[in-house]
Amino acid sequence: MTTLRHWWKHTAGWVADLADDDAGDVPGWVLVTLMTAGLVVVIWAVAGPALSELFQQAIERVSGL
């Protein structure tokens, strides 16, 4: 019985430590996601017209217009 009790305390402590470690990580992932989305918007705004023109030129070359 002592071994089972020791195992249960050890497992419960490990699960509690695991839950504590992940709890502080969520705001970091949210920040990384928002920053990535912001970078995509900025890059798209700057490079969008140039990429659109490049695509248009490629289509014109392929279609022969």
Side-chain angles (χ1 to χ4, degrees), residues 4-32:
L4 183 60
R5 190 174 294 150
H6 175 70
W7 177 82
W8 178 252
K9 284 183 179 180
H10 177 71
T11 304
W14 179 75
V15 170
D17 289 343
L18 185 62
D20 287 342
D21 289 344
D22 287 350
D25 215 19
V26 173
W29 281 108
V30 171
L31 182 62
V32 167

Side-chain angles (χ1 to χ4, degrees), residues 43-62:
I43 291 170
W44 197 297
V46 172
L51 291 173
S52 181
E53 180 64 28
L54 184 67
F55 178 75
Q56 192 65 30
Q57 288 176 2
I59 293 296
E60 287 173 2
R61 285 185 182 177
V62 170

Side-chain angles (χ1 to χ4, degrees), residues 25-41:
D25 215 19
V26 173
W29 281 108
V30 171
L31 182 62
V32 167
T33 303
L34 290 175
M35 289 176 66
T36 302
L39 283 173
V40 167
V41 169

